[in-house]
Amino acid sequence: MKWQQQIGWQVRQFLSANLQSRHGRFVLCGLLIGLCYFPVWLGGLTVGALQGSAGLPLIAAVVFLGAQELWKRRRELSQMTASSEDQFLGHLLIISGAILFPFCRFDIWPQALIWLLILAGIAFSSWGLSFFQRYPLLILLVLISVYPKPGLMARILWKTFTPPNFLENFMAWSGTHALRMIGQSAEVTGNIVEMPGGSVEVAWGCNGFNMAFTMAAAGLILGLFLQQSWPKILGMMTIGIVLAMAFNVPRIMLLAFASVYWGEASFEFWHGPIGGQLFTGVLFTVYYYAAMGLIEKTSKKVLS
């Protein structure tokens, strides 16, 4: 109970201190909106996890890294002050977000955007423009964490700049050729893998993009957590993407066998959250050893 009492005391002290100043009241107004958004954010992560997404642990890791970075910089931040112009702009962003938020409850993404706007307002009014210039890593972590479905934004960008069904067609072609290599009769038409007993469509959820994005995010988080250089982090992200695409080929082969020969129940199992998590678990295990190998290899080069 002591730690609960201590937390309660700190919360009361925080509220009391902020209620006594005009700037503090603006900050509290923004944080109140954040409390309203929190159940929506957590709900989005939970639904994604139940559907087989790895977003919950990844976003949790990003939040942890962001909080850790804030704690490390707390003395520097306590010495930073905002100019009157920055404070006015920050307060304007906070109050604009507070006014708009009730009208943006129809979906998660506009609420996330409003929360991001409010966070920017709090940073502007508390520390000024120099905060954004001095702490790009912290800003990146916040950008990743505010929306519980970051893969959706990546999907929109991918579909905007690539031909229709580009990745689906490529993965169907790869799966077909892999089936031929093990002696199976298979043909590909667009994103359809055709076998003598039936066919399977490689739709968006099976094209490997979501897992590749997740593995790239995992490489970024792991690299930041281990305090690696940016070239190493980019290397870890690239390894994750390549492994995700490589692992997706046998998954397509397995789904094709399940659809054509093993029945609907088997297909639904391997296509559903449990089957997807089994592949994800193996992929993460292989990725971990590959990433650690990259770190150890480059470290030995530096030492030699």
Side-chain angles (χ1 to χ4, degrees):
M1 291 295 290
K2 287 185 178 180
W3 65 270
Q4 292 176 332
Q5 291 173 352
Q6 187 176 9
I7 290 174
W9 180 82
Q10 289 177 344
V11 169
R12 286 194 296 271
Q13 287 290 104
F14 176 79
L15 291 172
S16 176
N18 280 281
L19 284 170
Q20 292 175 10
S21 68
R22 180 170 174 269
H23 167 64
R25 289 191 288 273
F26 273 102
V27 170
L28 289 177
C29 176
L31 294 178
L32 181 61
I33 300 299
L35 283 176
C36 295
Y37 173 58
F38 178 74
V40 178
W41 176 81
L42 188 60
L45 287 174
T46 305
V47 170
L50 293 174
Q51 294 174 346
S53 170
L56 180 57
L58 288 174
I59 295 294
V62 170
V63 171
F64 171 77
L65 286 171
Q68 186 183 57
E69 189 71 11
L70 267 176
W71 182 254
K72 281 167 54 180
R73 309 292 182 188
R74 65 189 185 280
R75 288 191 178 88
E76 299 172 25
L77 292 171
S78 65
Q79 296 172 357
M80 294 174 63
T81 56
S83 66
S84 57
E85 292 83 3
D86 287 344
Q87 199 166 81
F88 173 77
L89 176 60
H91 292 167
L92 184 62
L93 291 175
I94 293 170
I95 201 66
S96 298
I99 292 170
L100 290 172
F101 186 77
F103 303 99
C104 298
R105 304 300 298 272
F106 57 88
D107 205 345
I108 298 178
W109 69 264
Q111 295 178 70
L113 241 115
I114 294 296
W115 175 230
L116 186 62
L117 182 75
I118 289 172
L119 286 175
I122 292 173
F124 255 113
S125 59
S126 300
W127 304 302
L129 180 62
S130 58
F131 171 83
F132 297 89
Q133 298 167 337
R134 292 175 62 178
Y135 303 111
L137 174 58
L138 189 54
I139 293 165
L140 174 63
L141 293 173
V142 171
L143 286 171
I144 295 173
S145 66
V146 293
Y147 185 55
K149 299 178 181 179
L152 180 60
M153 301 305 296
R155 172 181 176 175
I156 293 171
L157 290 172
W158 174 266
K159 288 195 169 187
T160 301
F161 295 105
T162 58
N165 292 330
F166 172 76
L167 193 54
E168 292 88 332
N169 293 347
F170 174 74
M171 294 310 300
W173 177 86
S174 301
T176 299
H177 281 269
L179 286 167
R180 290 175 182 171
M181 288 175 65
I182 61 172
Q184 297 295 315
S185 178
E187 298 293 333
V188 59
T189 304
N191 64 334
I192 306 292
V193 178
E194 299 175 349
M195 298 176 70
S199 62
V200 63
E201 178 185 5
V202 180
W204 174 264
C206 298
N207 66 5
F209 181 88
N210 290 333
M211 186 49 62
F213 178 81
T214 300
M215 297 309 298
L220 173 65
I221 294 165
L222 185 62
L224 292 173
F225 182 75
L226 297 176
Q227 299 181 343
Q228 299 298 303
S229 64
W230 278 107
K232 283 186 185 179
I233 292 174
L234 291 174
M236 293 164 70
M237 293 172 70
T238 302
I239 289 173
I241 293 170
V242 171
L243 283 175
M245 290 300 173
F247 267 73
N248 199 51
V249 175
R251 182 167 183 259
I252 289 172
M253 295 168 66
L254 181 63
L255 288 172
F257 276 117
S259 175
V260 175
Y261 301 121
W262 301 340
E264 185 178 351
S266 178
F267 176 81
E268 291 300 328
F269 173 83
W270 288 108
H271 190 259
I274 298 176
Q277 291 295 350
L278 289 174
F279 267 91
T280 301
V282 176
L283 173 58
F284 267 103
T285 302
V286 174
Y287 171 73
Y288 174 78
Y289 286 106
M292 290 300 103
L294 173 66
I295 292 171
E296 291 176 6
K297 183 178 179 181
T298 51
S299 298
K300 287 178 181 177
K301 284 183 179 180
V302 171
L303 290 173
S304 61

